[in-house]
Amino acid sequence: MAPAVALPVLLALVALVALVAPGLGAAPGCDHPAHRWCRSRDAAVACQVESSCPSLPRPAAAPVELSLYYESLCPACREFLVLKLFPTWLLLPEEMLNITLVPYGNAQERNVSGKLDFQCQHGPEECLGNMMEACLMHEAKNFSTYFPVIFCLESGSSVTKNLEACLQIYAPEVDSGRISACVQGDTGVALMHHNAQLTEALDPPHQYVPWITINGKHTDELQAQAEASLLALVCHLYQGEKPEACGGTKAPRIPPGCRR
């Protein structure tokens, strides 16, 4: 058996041949000199030498886009966020899953004497919780900063009374005073109006919460798969290199959502 030839030596030999006899051994359509075959993916593909170029950067894959339309006090929403969405986000690389949170759900927006007013399925406290989380997202801005705080709120005994404690644990750099000012002022109302518009623009229109869209689409099948095993669904849809976490098993399905 012939001894193995180191890749740099092999490429050097190929380059020498190419310089002496241009085009010799090159794939049809390959107009790159041999010493540049492994410098870019385009060149490697054109010259059909991808398998011989281990140092090529992997092509970037688009993240799976997940949007969650929910209510802060809906039991099924809280269960999905706490037991499915947050653990999946923790397990997967940042570039694999992009999450958008829209707290509003089955709320109703009314114009009362020129001012916007909101009525929520689970009462005024839910409206407050929705607005607190919207203001938290607005003030913290970075998803990796505010999502653990929302997880803390939704998994605790009170969504509306534990903000200070959750901030101290997960995001001490975020000023709770700014969140309170947002909730009590025009910014909070504007954020809720925006969430109302996003929710009302859903196609098909939402029928319950949690309402999940994947890559901008909602189907009964995608909803059921996300509720049954979100990790498995994201791993299946992601087109890039799969991490070790994608070898996990399916989780049981959660209870039905909060209907209108």
Side-chain angles (χ1 to χ4, degrees):
M1 183 176 179
V5 179
L7 181 61
V9 175
L10 178 61
L11 290 177
L13 291 174
V14 173
L16 179 60
V17 171
L19 288 173
V20 174
L24 182 62
C30 174
D31 56 1
H32 302 274
H35 65 283
R36 292 187 177 273
W37 285 357
C38 290
R39 296 291 295 274
S40 74
R41 182 165 296 277
D42 288 344
V45 170
C47 300
Q48 301 179 17
V49 294
E50 283 181 278
S51 61
S52 300
C53 302
S55 62
L56 280 177
R58 294 183 179 274
V64 175
E65 301 280 346
L66 184 150
S67 295
L68 175 65
Y69 297 81
Y70 71 105
E71 299 166 350
S72 62
L73 296 189
C74 166
C77 298
R78 298 176 73 176
E79 188 169 357
F80 177 77
L81 190 151
V82 170
L83 298 183
K84 299 294 176 67
L85 187 58
F86 188 73
T88 299
W89 176 71
L90 286 177
L91 286 169
L92 297 177
E94 186 178 82
E95 65 272 12
M96 194 168 169
L97 178 61
N98 186 35
I99 300 170
T100 300
L101 300 175
V102 185
Y104 187 79
N106 297 330
Q108 298 293 321
E109 181 182 58
R110 301 182 306 165
N111 189 314
V112 180
S113 301
K115 290 188 176 182
L116 292 178
D117 179 67
F118 302 94
Q119 291 185 325
C120 296
Q121 183 173 8
H122 299 91
E125 187 177 4
E126 180 168 82
C127 283
L128 175 59
N130 291 346
M131 191 175 291
M132 283 177 57
E133 293 184 4
C135 284
L136 168 63
M137 289 185 256
H138 176 73
E139 293 297 333
K141 295 181 174 36
N142 190 296
F143 186 84
S144 62
T145 299
Y146 64 72
F147 193 32
V149 180
I150 291 177
F151 161 79
C152 179
L153 294 172
E154 295 292 343
S155 61
S157 58
S158 172
V159 172
T160 59
K161 296 177 182 178
N162 290 336
L163 179 62
E164 288 282 357
C166 290
L167 285 175
Q168 288 178 12
I169 296 170
Y170 291 105
E173 72 277 15
V174 177
D175 184 357
S176 62
R178 291 180 63 87
I179 297 174
S180 297
C182 170
V183 170
Q184 296 167 11
D186 293 339
T187 301
V189 174
L191 292 171
M192 292 313 301
H193 176 63
H194 177 66
N195 285 354
Q197 290 179 313
L198 292 176
T199 304
E200 291 166 4
L202 284 168
D203 184 16
H206 86 285
Q207 301 297 319
Y208 51 82
V209 286
W211 187 264
I212 303 160
T213 67
I214 304 291
N215 293 332
K217 297 180 180 179
H218 175 93
T219 66
D220 291 342
E221 182 180 5
L222 283 173
Q223 178 87 21
Q225 289 176 339
E227 292 178 344
S229 181
L230 181 61
L231 178 62
L233 176 62
V234 175
C235 288
H236 172 71
L237 293 176
Y238 184 63
Q239 297 300 305
E241 184 179 6
K242 306 289 196 294
E244 291 184 7
C246 284
T249 57
K250 289 186 177 181
R253 185 174 181 178
I254 64 170
C258 296
R259 302 277 169 176
R260 286 178 181 271

